[in-house]
Amino acid sequence: MLGLGVDRLRADMNRLLAMLFHQGVLDEQFLQLQQLQDESSPNFVSEVVNIYFHESEKLLRNLRELLMDREFSDYKKMGTHLNQFMGSSSSIGAKRIRNVCVAFRAASEHNNRAGCLRALEVLEHEYCYLKNKLHELFQIEQQRVLAAGVRYPMQNN
Amino acid sequence: MARSGVVSWRRRSEKLDGFDMAPMNSEEAHVLAVDDSLVDRKVIERLLRISSCKVTAVDSGRRALQFLGLDDDKSSSVGFDGLKVDLIITDYCMPGMTGYELLKKIKESSALKEIPVVIMSSENVLARIDRCLEEGAEDFIVKPVKLSDVKRLKDYMTREAGLEESGMNKRKLREPCDLPSSPPSILPSSPSSSSSSPSKSPSPPLSSSFSAPSSPTSLDSPIRRLKMTNTD
């Protein structure tokens, strides 16, 4: 029964990943990160992703503060934040977020404040979505590891 | 899976049977990675470690120069903690000193100019790539960096880190093996020496006649392709 649990959990993970790929939320760089995870670095993906979340939240806060300022004019600074966000998003395979950053940057280069605000909202939404889905993924992974650990004593009976 | 293909001279004979003749130094290569993004530093560190390299990761060009012993205008040939650096890989866009500026400072230093420098950038801009290559960068990697990119970097290190020992090793031992890309045919003639310094082999003349790569995102480094065809 528990053996089936592990397989089912793995299937759940794969299904979730496939969906995220299909939606264009993640790209193959995420797979590359998974390939870098092994016994010597068993939590590599979640470690990197958690750093990404931490940094992203700071960047999103900075972007919002900049845009909420009625006297805002520092598009260059916004561009810097966006470049950072773009870079780290592409490094973990967060394709959709990266693409929104590209559009955001274009609006910022045209000093288009309204466009920037719109882009920021999409960005915040996309970020929320990604964070929820990746948390879900890591939860299933944790459950799978636990279930796999419990399975072996049963097999010996 | 063998985590490290490193073999010392002493252990060589014991490992002959079924041993994977990875072209390796008798020591792990040491790479200095420079990137202001923590996410990217984590990733590049892991990519390099999994490829059997020692890694030092710093967050700015200034810190990189400090590590290399080049502080402001002072120049010294000893690394900060005495470890030699076999390769420097740096992001292009960084606050303060850009990767390009770091590259220039390294190439201007008599102590450091032989260290191969690779630039990374998330922007695939030909003019930028050209500038870096002209300034002496060994290669230019478009982010995100993958394992295949790092594997390619290892070739720069093993080729230029004066691997005469393993070169001879391979010539003797490789006869039964068929390895078309065996480095010995590419190694320029260099004075035989241990791998203590990365500056032994002359910078291959091919790279100076090399012009802009046609496709920076192609799997093979254009420089590598050029070198290989010229030595065949």
Side-chain angles (χ1 to χ4, degrees):
Chain A
M1 191 92 126
L2 279 166
L4 282 176
V6 174
D7 292 333
R8 205 204 63 215
L9 285 167
R10 191 180 298 122
D12 286 347
M13 262 186 76
N14 289 337
R15 211 177 317 120
L16 178 53
L17 268 174
M19 182 194 79
L20 292 172
F21 274 91
H22 183 72
Q23 291 175 329
V25 170
L26 289 178
D27 65 24
E28 69 272 4
Q29 182 65 12
F30 189 79
L31 291 178
Q32 172 71 102
L33 291 191
Q34 288 185 314
Q35 280 169 18
L36 297 178
Q37 182 162 294
D38 63 17
E39 321 77 49
S40 72
S41 195
N43 301 309
F44 176 69
V45 182
S46 61
E47 280 168 10
V48 176
V49 169
N50 283 328
I51 294 173
Y52 171 73
F53 286 155
H54 187 75
E55 290 200 333
S56 301
E57 277 155 37
K58 253 192 297 184
L59 287 167
L60 282 169
R61 262 200 305 276
N62 290 344
L63 286 166
R64 189 150 274 284
E65 270 168 26
L66 277 175
L67 279 169
M68 290 292 99
D69 181 359
R70 251 176 293 137
E71 284 143 27
F72 165 71
S73 62
D74 201 343
Y75 286 100
K76 185 162 176 226
K77 189 169 193 177
M78 199 154 65
T80 306
H81 290 322
L82 283 171
N83 282 337
Q84 277 182 285
F85 205 174
M86 260 173 70
S88 53
S89 299
S90 107
S91 292
I92 69 149
K95 186 162 100 161
R96 263 211 321 227
I97 289 182
R98 187 190 173 270
N99 290 344
V100 177
C101 286
V102 172
F104 196 151
R105 192 171 64 170
S108 134
E109 279 161 5
H110 287 95
N111 292 7
N112 177 356
R113 181 147 178 241
C116 287
L117 269 165
R118 275 195 301 273
L120 178 60
E121 274 169 29
V122 176
L123 199 54
E124 285 166 340
H125 171 84
E126 286 296 337
Y127 174 74
C128 261
Y129 183 71
L130 178 72
K131 187 169 178 182
N132 286 336
K133 291 300 159 193
L134 287 182
H135 273 155
E136 203 181 310
L137 193 71
F138 294 146
Q139 261 179 343
I140 303 175
E141 165 73 3
Q142 273 181 339
Q143 283 168 21
R144 188 187 64 84
V145 168
L146 283 172
V150 178
R151 180 167 65 153
Y152 294 112
M154 302 286 277
Q155 279 182 341
N156 288 335
N157 283 345
Chain B
M1 104 185 172
R3 293 307 320 283
S4 161
V6 170
V7 175
S8 73
W9 275 106
R10 267 170 279 122
R11 294 205 309 260
R12 179 175 46 99
S13 49
E14 289 146 32
K15 293 213 171 192
L16 264 182
D17 291 344
F19 180 68
D20 171 17
M21 312 280 187
M24 278 290 185
N25 206 336
S26 57
E27 305 171 342
E28 280 192 338
H30 179 215
V31 181
L32 176 64
V34 191
D35 201 321
D36 60 313
S37 158
L38 180 55
V39 169
D40 288 357
R41 280 203 303 282
K42 283 288 164 214
V43 174
I44 193 83
E45 241 179 349
R46 181 72 189 144
L47 284 168
L48 288 165
R49 289 222 169 95
I50 221 175
S51 308
S52 309
C53 296
K54 283 201 285 281
V55 190
T56 300
V58 298
D59 65 0
S60 70
R62 157 153 282 123
R63 277 205 226 279
L65 291 176
Q66 280 174 358
F67 183 81
L68 295 164
L70 252 194
D71 245 336
D72 297 310
D73 295 295
K74 202 178 16 142
S75 124
S76 129
S77 57
V78 179
F80 194 73
D81 63 349
L83 268 183
K84 75 173 169 79
V85 171
D86 297 304
L87 177 81
I88 296 168
I89 178 165
T90 176
D91 191 24
Y92 185 95
C93 276
M94 294 189 291
M97 192 186 300
T98 66
Y100 177 73
E101 287 159 359
L102 175 62
L103 166 69
K104 283 215 315 197
K105 285 212 147 64
I106 291 167
K107 292 303 169 187
E108 281 163 10
S109 153
S110 49
L112 304 174
K113 65 181 179 194
E114 297 298 332
I115 305 178
V117 180
V118 173
I119 311 280
M120 306 178 276
S121 175
S122 46
E123 313 280 340
N124 188 0
V125 178
L126 201 54
R128 177 181 291 187
I129 297 169
D130 275 354
R131 269 172 95 203
C132 292
L133 291 175
E134 271 161 33
E135 201 59 43
E138 201 66 32
D139 202 347
F140 189 100
I141 298 176
V142 178
K143 282 178 161 180
V145 185
K146 301 177 247 320
L147 207 49
S148 53
D149 296 318
V150 174
K151 287 201 158 74
R152 200 173 80 210
L153 294 185
K154 298 230 68 183
D155 288 348
Y156 300 131
M157 295 187 273
T158 54
R159 249 187 281 145
E160 299 189 11
L163 274 195
E164 277 61 49
E165 293 179 68
S166 13
M168 289 192 297
N169 188 11
K170 281 193 294 293
R171 253 177 263 125
K172 272 183 241 150
L173 301 171
R174 254 196 192 140
E175 267 144 55
C177 302
D178 178 32
L179 289 163
S181 60
S182 61
S185 61
I186 295 174
L187 273 176
S189 55
S190 316
S192 60
S193 68
S194 66
S195 54
S196 57
S197 159
S199 59
K200 283 296 179 293
S201 62
S203 171
L206 303 165
S207 56
S208 57
S209 60
F210 178 75
S211 55
S214 51
S215 165
T217 52
S218 61
L219 283 173
D220 270 335
S221 154
I223 296 176
R224 183 174 175 224
R225 256 189 274 123
L226 199 61
K227 286 178 183 167
M228 290 194 65
T229 50
N230 272 319
T231 55
D232 276 345

